[in-house]
């Protein structure tokens, strides 16, 4: 057993004394908001989202894992956003705006959001949905809404910079902030005043979008929590270079005097890529963050826990040490490792924010130092079943190596679906997988064996992408890293979740002892009713038996009396 398998049990929250609070054995389903089967081209906070929560509840699930809710930029990735705080305006439910009277059904129906219901057309969504949202804003009379002003007051620490950033970006025809005029790029006071005045209504528009996003998401999350479904959110470790975060707080990042990155993030060359991965995100000035007692990070994490119940921290190993690539390089070959903040950051977060449920995405190059950081934090790491079946080497991802303090996934948003993955396994790996699961399930249903393997494991939390439960193939993959054009587009159709499938998920969840608290109560009630019914049936039989015995005894007495009378 490796050190990696000796961590304590369950998703955990660590209090100020460093004590671990254990949590229940449970399961959930991964489904991005944009993949929901909502109307008008993209998944959103519509009635279909509420129906999905109902289905999760009926399937006995405790968690709904989503991807970052941030507004997407070029490439449509939720991991490259204009803001680490803002919400994606695409997720605002247009039907709710119709009910408010700021849009009409005809306007929404006439808009061309794309012709293929299976995939999102981001180009048309950007063009048509923003136009409709602008109409809604102009008709909203939002400046007279007290709730709007309260929202601005409570979120001004990030909202004011974000709204100005987006408005100025619009004024510069979408160019990255590094290409803006020097005065506003460097936030000179006179320029800030000028653009705040000149872009007043554009700024208010972007604040309106965030107000509506927050209003609708808060309502949806409350509905999920009322139905005992918790939201697992996702926080990328890095922010995008072209973001309000980098523009508003350049002192947080490794920039030169002209606000150009000195180095950027990525991954070194490995077996999967000879030149490594060049992400391009600006790197943090961790010495500065430490001097501020990690104020920016504490605010960011606190904001995440307003949106989510549990937070998955992406690229956790980057907090131990991170890969630094000189700015301007075309590949990641010439990068090197730098030491990160380590446990000091997480100790500070614990001290400032108290108990928080965090999942550490500890995939990738995992060293002894990373394992120690994970152990010291007490957070559960991740196990991905698709990484397990390589007969040429031992694997921590095989279920017999799990400990309770881990979250097992059949696959993540970056992986192939189970069906696609199994189909593409080489002969040796497939033979090893077959021997390991010891099943003769037909190939077309083989994905259920792997789902069952994950669900029956000791890992206290199991998350399965909805595409795996549905047995979908390559057509439903969410993201293929280092590729562009077809990612983040897949959409679920309403008819894909049948009562039969939901019942099958529920049965497996019950068998693996992962039912939600609500469904445990339902099952307990059923058991009590069954016991009571059986007891009543038994008592009825005993009663009938006693009555029959009494009747037979009485009859015998009568016969005896009759015989005695005759004898006389």
């Amino acid at each position: 057993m490796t050190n990696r398998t000796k961590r304590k049990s369950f998703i955990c929250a660590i209090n100020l004394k460093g004590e671990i609070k254990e949590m229940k054995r449970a399961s959930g389903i991964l489904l991005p908001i944009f993949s929901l089967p909502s109307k008008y081209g993209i998944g959103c906070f519509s009635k279909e989202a509420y129906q999905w929560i109902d289905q999760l509840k009926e399937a006995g699930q405790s968690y709904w894992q989503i991807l970052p809710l941030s507004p997407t930029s070029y490439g449509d990735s939720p991991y490259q956003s204009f803001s680490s705080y803002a919400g994606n305006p695409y997720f605002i439910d247009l039907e709710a705006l119709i009910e408010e009277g700021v849009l009409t059904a005809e306007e929404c129906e006439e808009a061309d959001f794309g012709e293929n219901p299976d995939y999102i057309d981001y180009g048309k969504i950007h063009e048509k949905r923003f136009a409709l949202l602008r109409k809604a804003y102009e008709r909203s009379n939002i400046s007279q809404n007290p709730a709007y002003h309260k929202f601005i007051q409570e979120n001004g620490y990030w909202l004011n910079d974000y709204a100005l950033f987006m408005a100025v970006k619009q004024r510069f025809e979408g160019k990255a902030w590094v290409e803006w005029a020097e005065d506003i790029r460097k936030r000179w006071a006179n320029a800030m005043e000028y653009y705040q005045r000149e872009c007043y209504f554009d700024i208010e528009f972007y604040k309106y979008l965030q107000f509506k996003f927050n209003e609708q998401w808060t309502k949806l999350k409350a509905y999920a929590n009322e139905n005992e479904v918790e939201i697992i959110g996702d926080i990328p470790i890095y922010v995008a270079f072209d973001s309000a975060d980098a523009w508003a707080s350049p002192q947080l990042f490794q920039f030169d005097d002209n606000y150009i990155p000195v180095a950027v993030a990525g991954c070194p060359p490995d077996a999967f890529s000879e030149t490594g991965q060049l992400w391009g995100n600006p790197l943090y000035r961790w010495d500065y963050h430490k001097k501020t007692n990690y104020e920016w990070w504490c605010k960011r994490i606190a904001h995440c826990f307003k949106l989510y119940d549990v937070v998955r921290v992406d690229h956790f190993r980057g907090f131990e040490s991170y890969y630094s690539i000189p700015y301007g390089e075309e590949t990641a070959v010439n990068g090197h490792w730098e030491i990160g903040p380590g446990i000091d950051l997480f100790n500070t977060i614990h001290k400032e924010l108290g108990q928080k449920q965090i999942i550490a995405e500890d995939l990738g190059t995992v060293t002894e130092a990373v394992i120690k950081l994970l152990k010291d934090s007490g957070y559960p790491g991740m196990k991905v079943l698709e990484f397990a079946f390589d007969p040429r080497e031992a694997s921590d991802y095989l279920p017999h190596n799990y400990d309770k303090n881990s979250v097992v996934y059949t696959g993540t948003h970056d992986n192939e679906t189970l069906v696609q993955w199994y189909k593409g396994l080489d002969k040796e790996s497939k033979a090893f997988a077959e021997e390991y699961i010891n099943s003769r399930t037909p190939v077309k249903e083989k994905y259920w064996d792997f789902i069952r393997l994950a669900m029956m494991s000791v890992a206290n939390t199991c998350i399965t992408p909805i595409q795996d439960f549905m047995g979908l193939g390559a057509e439903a993959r969410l993201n293929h890293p280092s590729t562009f054009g077809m990612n983040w587009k897949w959409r679920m159709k309403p008819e894909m979740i049948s009562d039969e499938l939901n019942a099958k998920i529920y049965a497996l969840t019950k068998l693996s002892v992962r039912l939600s608290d609500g469904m445990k109560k339902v099952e307990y009630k059923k058991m009590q009713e069954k016991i009571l019914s059986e007891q009543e049936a038994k008592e009825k039989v005993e009663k009938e038996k006693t009555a029959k015995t009494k009747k037979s005894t009485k009859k015998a007495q009568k016969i005896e009396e009759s015989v005695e009378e005759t004898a006389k």
Side-chain angles (χ1 to χ4, degrees):
M1 181 179 290
T2 66
N3 288 335
R4 196 173 178 182
T5 63
K6 295 179 181 176
R7 300 186 287 265
K8 292 200 75 173
S9 58
F10 309 116
I11 290 181
C12 60
I14 300 180
N15 62 24
L16 302 185
K17 296 179 181 179
E19 298 168 342
I20 294 178
K21 178 184 177 183
E22 296 184 347
M23 300 185 69
K24 62 180 183 290
R25 178 177 172 86
S27 62
I29 297 178
L30 170 61
L31 176 67
I33 298 292
F34 60 74
S35 292
L36 285 166
S38 308
K39 290 180 68 175
Y40 308 129
I42 191 170
C44 64
F45 306 145
S46 61
K47 64 179 183 296
E48 288 83 1
Y50 289 84
Q51 292 167 357
W52 167 245
I53 291 170
D54 293 340
Q55 290 171 321
L56 284 170
K57 179 181 179 180
E58 291 166 5
Q61 302 306 295
S62 300
Y63 298 111
W64 174 14
Q65 180 163 339
I66 59 177
L67 300 186
L69 290 173
S70 308
T72 53
S73 58
Y74 311 108
D76 309 313
S77 170
Y79 294 90
Q80 290 286 348
S81 175
F82 290 130
S83 170
S84 62
Y85 285 89
N88 193 335
Y90 294 160
F91 298 158
I92 296 172
D93 178 25
L94 299 184
E95 291 179 287
L97 299 182
I98 292 172
E99 292 177 5
E100 290 179 21
V102 292
L103 288 178
T104 67
E106 291 75 19
E107 289 171 330
C108 295
E109 293 292 344
E110 290 171 1
D112 179 10
F113 295 112
E115 299 177 356
N116 190 342
D118 297 327
Y119 299 103
I120 299 164
D121 187 328
Y122 281 103
K124 290 184 177 179
I125 290 290
H126 178 77
E127 178 185 356
K128 300 300 182 181
R129 207 169 184 98
F130 261 96
L132 288 168
L133 291 171
R134 186 76 187 208
K135 283 184 180 180
Y137 154 69
E138 291 170 351
R139 297 166 180 170
S140 68
N141 198 26
I142 194 62
S143 62
Q144 303 302 311
N145 188 334
Y148 166 75
H149 289 288
K150 182 181 179 183
F151 173 75
I152 292 176
Q153 184 177 13
E154 293 176 348
N155 294 274
Y157 66 96
W158 66 267
L159 181 60
N160 293 333
D161 282 324
Y162 168 73
L164 177 60
F165 173 85
M166 295 303 296
V168 175
K169 173 178 278 291
Q170 185 174 312
R171 182 63 63 96
F172 282 93
E173 299 179 338
K175 291 181 180 178
W177 68 271
V178 74
E179 299 179 50
W180 297 351
E182 184 181 19
D183 57 353
I184 189 60
R185 177 167 59 87
K186 294 188 173 181
R187 295 169 62 87
W188 294 349
N190 61 335
M192 294 286 284
E193 292 175 4
Y194 171 81
Y195 284 102
Q196 285 169 351
R197 183 174 61 254
E198 289 297 309
C199 301
Y200 177 84
F201 290 108
D202 291 333
I203 292 170
E204 188 177 65
F205 168 57
Y206 282 103
K207 289 182 178 180
Y208 165 79
L209 293 181
Q210 292 308 304
F211 170 69
K212 298 310 295 183
F213 172 94
N214 181 75
E215 181 181 67
Q216 292 188 9
W217 172 247
T218 300
K219 183 179 178 183
L220 180 63
K221 181 180 179 296
Y223 183 78
N225 292 162
E226 288 166 8
N227 285 277
E228 298 186 305
V229 173
E230 291 189 302
I231 306 296
I232 299 179
D234 202 327
I235 175 173
I237 181 175
Y238 296 119
V239 303
F241 180 30
D242 188 25
S243 66
D245 307 276
W247 173 67
S249 303
Q251 72 278 9
L252 300 176
F253 306 94
Q254 296 181 23
F255 291 159
D256 63 19
D257 292 340
N258 289 315
Y259 299 164
I260 301 299
V262 175
V264 295
C267 281
D270 56 22
F272 300 99
S273 174
E274 293 182 356
T275 59
Q277 296 181 37
L278 180 63
W279 300 340
N281 305 79
L283 296 170
Y284 296 109
R285 285 183 53 199
W286 285 116
D287 57 340
Y288 179 87
H289 285 270
K290 183 177 178 63
K291 289 178 182 178
T292 63
N293 201 35
Y294 303 104
E295 179 184 8
W296 183 84
W297 272 98
C298 288
K299 285 183 177 179
R300 186 183 180 195
I301 296 293
H303 180 76
C304 284
F305 279 101
K306 291 180 182 178
L307 299 174
Y308 317 120
D309 300 297
V310 183
V311 173
R312 190 196 82 126
V313 178
D314 189 48
H315 197 57
F316 184 79
R317 72 100 53 245
F319 294 104
E320 185 280 320
S321 58
Y322 57 91
Y323 197 64
S324 174
I325 306 165
Y327 183 72
E329 291 285 327
E330 295 183 359
T331 72
V333 171
N334 293 322
H336 64 278
W337 290 99
E338 295 279 353
I339 298 299
I343 196 62
D344 188 43
L345 169 63
F346 299 106
N347 284 341
T348 303
I349 291 172
H350 300 156
K351 182 178 178 181
E352 296 297 322
L353 304 182
Q355 295 184 2
K356 296 297 176 186
Q357 297 179 52
I358 291 177
I359 298 170
E361 187 271 276
D362 59 337
L363 308 177
T365 306
V366 179
T367 63
E368 289 298 321
V370 176
I371 294 171
K372 184 179 185 304
L373 176 61
L374 187 64
K375 182 178 180 181
D376 291 345
S377 73
Y379 301 147
M382 288 175 53
K383 304 292 185 183
V384 179
L385 205 56
E386 288 187 13
F387 295 165
F389 299 98
D390 186 344
R392 295 165 295 185
E393 60 183 14
S395 174
D396 282 350
Y397 296 109
L398 285 167
H400 68 267
N401 285 324
Y402 298 174
D403 62 8
K404 290 183 178 180
N405 190 31
S406 57
V407 183
V408 59
Y409 293 76
T410 51
T412 73
H413 59 272
D414 284 336
N415 295 114
E416 298 171 306
T417 66
L418 273 177
V419 168
Q420 180 188 12
W421 165 79
Y422 183 75
K423 184 178 180 181
L425 282 179
D426 60 59
K427 185 177 180 180
E428 292 77 13
S429 297
K430 189 172 288 187
F432 176 43
E434 288 285 347
E435 185 178 8
Y436 191 90
I437 60 178
N438 190 28
S439 168
R440 295 183 179 180
T441 305
V443 173
K444 66 178 181 179
E445 295 181 0
K446 186 67 69 176
Y447 61 94
W448 275 107
D449 287 339
F450 294 101
I451 294 174
R452 179 188 173 95
L453 193 62
M455 291 285 278
M456 298 298 285
S457 74
V458 298
N460 211 56
T461 307
C462 178
I463 305 294
T464 305
I466 189 61
Q467 301 98 306
D468 287 347
F469 276 125
M470 293 175 174
L472 300 179
E475 74 282 359
R477 183 172 184 174
L478 287 177
N479 180 48
H480 190 167
S482 300
T483 67
F484 301 93
M486 283 304 295
N487 297 322
W488 320 112
K489 291 188 174 185
W490 177 77
R491 299 192 66 202
M492 181 172 70
K493 292 180 179 178
E495 64 272 15
M496 286 181 171
I497 293 283
S498 63
D499 291 341
E500 181 182 1
L501 176 58
N502 235 29
K504 195 169 183 178
I505 296 172
Y506 182 92
L508 180 55
T509 306
K510 179 182 176 182
L511 181 65
S512 57
V513 197
R514 295 184 183 275
L515 284 178
S516 64
D517 289 343
M519 286 305 173
K520 284 178 184 175
K521 293 175 184 176
V522 170
E523 288 295 329
Y524 180 77
K525 185 178 179 180
K526 286 181 181 178
M527 182 179 69
Q528 292 298 309
E529 290 175 348
K530 182 181 179 182
I531 292 172
L532 181 61
S533 178
E534 290 175 349
Q535 186 176 350
E536 289 175 347
K538 185 177 180 181
E539 289 175 354
K540 184 179 180 181
V541 170
E542 291 293 332
K543 192 174 181 179
E544 290 175 349
K545 185 177 179 180
T546 301
K548 189 175 182 180
T549 301
K550 286 182 178 179
K551 188 176 181 180
S552 298
T553 302
K554 191 174 183 180
K555 185 177 181 181
Q557 288 175 345
K558 284 185 177 180
I559 293 173
E560 186 177 347
E561 290 172 358
S562 178
V563 171
E564 290 177 354
E565 185 68 29
T566 303
K568 289 178 180 180

